[in-house]
Amino acid sequence: MINCLWALGAAAVAFSIAAVLGKVLIPFLHKLKFGQTILDIGPDWHKKKQGTPTMGGIMFIVGIIVSAVGCFVIRTVVDGNVPDSQRNGIFIGLIMALCYGLIGFIDDYIKVVKKRNLGLTAIQKLILQFAVAVGYLLAMTYLSGDTTPTQTLIPFVGYVELSWFYYIIAAVVIVGVVNATNLTDGIDGLDGSITFFVAIALMLIASMVSNVGGVITSAALAGGCMGFLIWNFHPAKVFMGDTGSLFLGGIVCAILFALDMPILLILVGLMYLVEMFSVMLQVSYFKLTHGKRLFKMSPIHHHFEMSGWSEVKIVCVFSLITAIAGIITIVLVYFGVVQSGAIKFA
């Protein structure tokens, strides 16, 4: 019941800040002419979105950070019985997410201000993204107080020791999910809607394993996404940009790593992975068949657009799939972790 109240509070604060910031930030971005440039490689009808303000992710970034940090600090003052590993894990994770948001901001800035449509080069992005991932993993090892930093929890299996392989796998997973979340941001409301349902699942999982930091941060993430969707749902008045999408990928990873269960990304982050692998399959198939395409366009949400689906229908279907995957994930954690007694309740 107490976790529920903190979750509601965190969600309400993040929602309010993100929603209200839209009233101020969108006109400001218009004034600065921070409009999105629509590339020719996208669907033709996306051209009408030319000039829609980008970098709107700032709205939910501020809301989520203020809400999560504020609620967690107040919760700690009210009840000091919050394990150091939870507190440090969440704060280090928020810093990681902010760093990814900063990389996205630099990318967006180059696109809209410097008029370089592609922003940072792929190599520049990967170097910065891996640097952040490595910094996060080192911080989690040396500052979180975790005595088993290279272990990960797998439902129905228990804690698995990965030794130094953990760092390689974890860094690849973080960078992969961050970029997958970025690829998901291709039509109005898609990334925010999917992440909202991911956040709800993570909030319930964090509550089940008594991780108050995870509960608060997940609730703040859900509230921030919902506040942003007021302005981003079709027809979008603002786009989150790489600023927002990279931040979302970072914070989703941060929560799951704080729970010691990044493997859950396979299910709870299913649609992120589908988007990413659709691009990889498209590129591979194109090269192997000397110019043939597996999908009409990738990422896969564009394939459905080209097949006649409306943006709203795509968002609804992808969100429903995410919600179902989230429910399955919750059930797996309940029976494979909580009921089995595998979790180390801190």
Side-chain angles (χ1 to χ4, degrees), residues 206-254:
S207 180
M208 285 162 47
V209 299
S210 301
N211 190 307
V212 66
V215 171
I216 289 173
T217 307
S218 300
L221 175 58
C225 286
M226 188 57 66
F228 177 71
L229 284 170
I230 291 176
W231 307 102
N232 181 242
F233 202 76
H234 186 74
K237 298 177 179 63
V238 67
F239 300 140
M240 67 174 66
D242 288 1
T243 304
S245 60
L246 295 184
F247 173 87
L248 291 181
I251 197 167
V252 167
C253 286

Side-chain angles (χ1 to χ4, degrees), residues 61-76:
I61 291 175
V62 173
I64 292 168
I65 295 298
V66 170
S67 175
V69 173
C71 288
F72 198 84
V73 169
I74 295 171
R75 169 66 169 74
T76 304

Side-chain angles (χ1 to χ4, degrees), residues 169-224:
I169 296 170
V172 171
V173 167
I174 292 170
V175 173
V177 171
V178 165
N179 282 292
T181 312
N182 181 230
L183 289 170
T184 305
D185 182 36
I187 60 177
D188 298 353
L190 182 60
D191 214 354
S193 296
I194 288 175
T195 305
F196 169 79
F197 286 101
V198 170
I200 294 297
L202 294 182
M203 180 184 69
L204 294 173
I205 291 169
S207 180
M208 285 162 47
V209 299
S210 301
N211 190 307
V212 66
V215 171
I216 289 173
T217 307
S218 300
L221 175 58

